[in-house]
Amino acid sequence: MSTYQGNKGSKKTPYSSASRPSRPTGSKPRFSASKGPSRPFKHGSKPSFRGNPSPSRGGGRGGRKGSFERIDVSRFISKSTIIEKEEIYLPTHTFSDFAIDARLKTAIANKNYIYPSPIQDKSIPHALQGRDILGIADTGTGKTASFLIPLINKVLKDPKETAIIIAPTRELAIQIEKEFNDFARGLKMFAVVCVGGAPIFAQIKNLRRGCNFVIGTPGRLLDLVKRGEIDLSTTRSVVLDEADRMLDMGFINDITYSLEKTHPERQNLFFSATLPKPIEKLIEQFTSDPVRVMVKTRDTSKNVEQDVIRVARGVEKIDVLAELLTKKDEFKKVLIFSEMKHAVEKLSKELIKRGFRAGSIHGDKRHNERQRTLKAFKDDQLNILVATDVAARGLDIPDVTHVINYEIPQTYDTYVHRIGRTGRASAKGVALTFVS
Ligand code: AMP
């Protein structure tokens, strides 16, 4: 198998290198280019496998796309904040039961993962045997580790193995890389993140240094495959993360193209919250007798007090919002959704002008900028984040006290997905929707 040898010691890239340990000299880069416990595991309690609500449909890349559903506004009101009796999940394994390398077990323990989440518990043993997996699960269920652990173990067994992980958004790809780095630190294996909206040449440079894992978004991966910078012909492990969202975003052909280039005898680990027809077709076409693992998801909205805000005639919506946000003791960490990229930008600028610590993320922002804003929001330097649905997808932001729908979402599913950003890990959250 040909290996990348070029550009050793190349410059840091915005994504991977900062957290990337230096490659030991002489280690071979591998992604080839053209050349028992009885302790109950609680759903929705810490450690939180939150079981998000069903995913949003439509929304595309931050603009209006797909059908618009007329939603009865009474569905945005729910005062009942009774938290459902939590379902207890008894894992059948501990991480030490898994037939994995001791070094990986140590890395898992260092991450303070003790009990596998339901999806990990049910899928890892099969994935370790090389079976294809179809995980019906959303973000928050622990699905990242359920594919990373078996794949890292595979590379530990054979350092020539390569894997491609395809995710819908840059943010999700970076979250996966972060988790990869936690598990793979010191294990002499590397991941390169290849996402759109970031300089391709830095990614090419990293690819040429060699890696076992490529984690990326479909469009950029396709571009790199077509340029011959990623040769998938020897890649025997494929992960599709949030397959249904990639479908929503119009990536199905890009994915299909890349999948067709991978080794015919490969292991497929596919994850999707729902199974629309085209995804079923993809599964049929590319997987072989996958083990289906379904994770029951909790209706997060049970933890979320929901209400609407009616803006009276002659009153400016922005003034109503600003008045709410001045209640700083209550509105501690607020995620505001708007539909269009330019509306998101305008709103965050207006809030900043009015003295709020606000930031925005949407598809027109540069990748680094989005990462900086997200970090500032996570670290409480900003307490207000204005976002489009796509930009906020799959994000794991703890402690959001309020979700505000500055504009009514296109579909009820989108609404449920949005409000699932608050009320996490059994905490109560508030969702407010502006209606006119
Ligand atoms: P994911 O669905 O992969 O995005 O994971 C959701 C969250 O759960 C992340 O913050 C993970 O770090 C965390 N997590 C995943 N698996 C475990 C585990 N077995 N024990 C504790 N936390 C976990």
Side-chain angles (χ1 to χ4, degrees):
M1 161 181 208
S2 62
T3 55
Y4 284 118
Q5 297 291 353
N7 295 322
K8 286 227 162 80
S10 62
K11 271 203 307 199
K12 288 190 170 189
T13 67
Y15 349 91
S16 50
S17 302
S19 50
R20 181 176 180 159
S22 57
R23 191 185 312 290
T25 3
S27 78
K28 287 249 174 185
R30 289 145 293 249
F31 216 106
S32 73
S34 41
K35 348 284 137 210
S38 54
R39 197 190 135 197
F41 178 86
K42 287 182 174 183
H43 269 296
S45 64
K46 285 220 171 207
S48 64
F49 306 102
R50 291 173 301 273
N52 278 344
S54 50
S56 62
R57 323 294 305 171
R61 295 170 192 250
R64 281 183 187 274
K65 206 175 160 190
S67 59
F68 190 93
E69 186 187 309
R70 224 169 249 293
I71 312 162
D72 174 359
V73 294
S74 67
R75 296 179 84 185
F76 301 145
I77 304 170
S78 164
K79 291 288 181 191
S80 57
T81 56
I82 310 140
I83 296 174
E84 270 188 343
K85 201 164 164 280
E86 281 173 349
E87 193 185 318
I88 307 293
Y89 178 77
L90 291 170
T92 51
H93 307 91
T94 58
F95 283 109
S96 51
D97 295 337
F98 291 139
I100 53 176
D101 191 287
R103 290 168 290 172
L104 184 52
K105 283 185 184 168
T106 308
I108 295 168
N110 287 343
K111 217 165 148 40
N112 290 326
Y113 288 7
I114 300 159
Y115 298 97
S117 73
I119 188 133
Q120 293 161 2
D121 194 44
K122 292 176 190 167
S123 67
I124 290 176
H126 298 289
L128 286 170
Q129 286 171 358
R131 292 284 304 270
D132 282 1
I133 302 288
L134 173 59
I136 318 290
D138 204 349
T139 308
T141 51
K143 64 184 164 55
T144 314
S146 59
F147 59 77
L148 284 180
I149 291 171
L151 294 183
I152 292 172
N153 196 62
K154 209 182 218 185
V155 175
L156 283 171
K157 278 189 175 163
D158 180 357
K160 288 204 288 296
E161 282 288 341
T162 58
I164 183 163
I165 300 172
I166 312 179
T169 62
R170 316 167 221 206
E171 282 74 16
L172 186 56
I174 287 160
Q175 268 177 212
I176 296 169
E177 187 214 18
K178 195 173 162 290
E179 189 141 348
F180 169 84
N181 284 334
D182 289 344
F183 288 135
R185 192 162 295 125
L187 298 184
K188 295 187 182 146
M189 61 180 77
F190 301 93
V192 172
V193 171
C194 300
V195 291
I200 197 165
F201 292 106
Q203 294 168 3
I204 291 175
K205 211 169 180 182
N206 275 337
L207 286 169
R208 289 181 180 177
R209 292 172 69 200
C211 61
N212 296 90
F213 289 80
V214 169
I215 307 168
T217 46
R220 178 56 58 92
L221 289 172
L222 177 75
D223 192 353
L224 289 161
V225 169
K226 284 189 168 164
R227 286 171 189 238
E229 294 296 340
I230 298 174
D231 173 9
L232 294 171
S233 62
T234 52
T235 295
R236 281 193 282 216
S237 302
V238 175
V239 175
L240 289 192
D241 199 5
E242 305 202 352
D244 52 351
R245 300 226 166 115
M246 296 198 273
L247 171 75
D248 281 352
M249 293 163 86
F251 285 138
I252 195 90
N253 292 336
D254 297 4
I255 297 169
T256 308
Y257 182 94
S258 292
L259 286 181
E260 279 167 350
K261 300 279 178 244
T262 54
H263 196 280
E265 281 162 36
R266 62 170 184 267
Q267 182 174 24
N268 304 287
L269 308 173
F270 287 7
F271 295 83
S272 195
T274 56
L275 292 178
K277 277 252 154 55
I279 296 298
E280 286 276 18
K281 224 177 116 205
L282 202 74
I283 292 160
E284 209 170 288
Q285 185 181 352
F286 290 102
T287 66
S288 132
D289 187 24
V291 177
R292 290 188 178 231
V293 178
M294 198 162 187
V295 173
K296 198 173 166 284
T297 53
R298 184 172 61 100
D299 181 0
T300 314
S301 60
K302 290 282 187 297
N303 286 357
V304 182
E305 182 176 321
Q306 302 158 60
D307 209 347
V308 293
I309 299 171
R310 289 182 195 276
V311 183
R313 245 178 239 285
V315 176
E316 290 292 331
K317 205 163 147 186
I318 181 73
D319 293 332
V320 179
L321 175 67
E323 200 180 318
L324 286 174
L325 296 174
T326 47
K327 297 179 196 161
K328 289 207 177 80
D329 291 345
E330 255 181 78
F331 288 74
K332 288 187 181 134
K333 202 163 194 169
V334 187
L335 186 53
I336 304 176
F337 284 99
S338 200
E339 287 285 299
M340 311 290 278
K341 298 170 197 170
H342 64 85
V344 163
E345 191 57 28
K346 193 170 154 216
L347 180 57
S348 83
K349 282 199 175 130
E350 181 59 31
L351 292 173
I352 294 166
K353 213 168 94 190
R354 292 179 182 225
F356 293 104
R357 290 182 294 127
S360 66
I361 53 165
H362 54 75
D364 282 349
K365 286 234 156 169
R366 282 205 323 276
H367 167 74
N368 282 352
E369 234 177 313
R370 284 162 70 159
Q371 286 304 304
R372 261 202 312 275
T373 307
L374 274 176
K375 187 168 183 312
F377 187 57
K378 281 186 184 171
D379 296 348
D380 292 326
Q381 288 153 14
L382 299 176
N383 75 319
I384 300 166
L385 182 67
V386 192
T388 54
D389 290 299
V390 171
R393 251 169 202 182
L395 291 181
D396 188 25
I397 307 169
D399 319 325
V400 171
T401 57
H402 291 73
V403 165
I404 296 180
N405 296 305
Y406 196 62
E407 281 164 52
I408 294 182
Q410 294 179 43
T411 65
Y412 188 67
D413 268 354
T414 305
Y415 172 77
V416 175
H417 185 63
R418 285 182 182 183
I419 71 166
R421 308 292 103 193
T422 183
R424 301 199 136 195
S426 301
K428 282 184 187 168
V430 179
L432 300 172
T433 302
F434 275 87
V435 294
S436 43

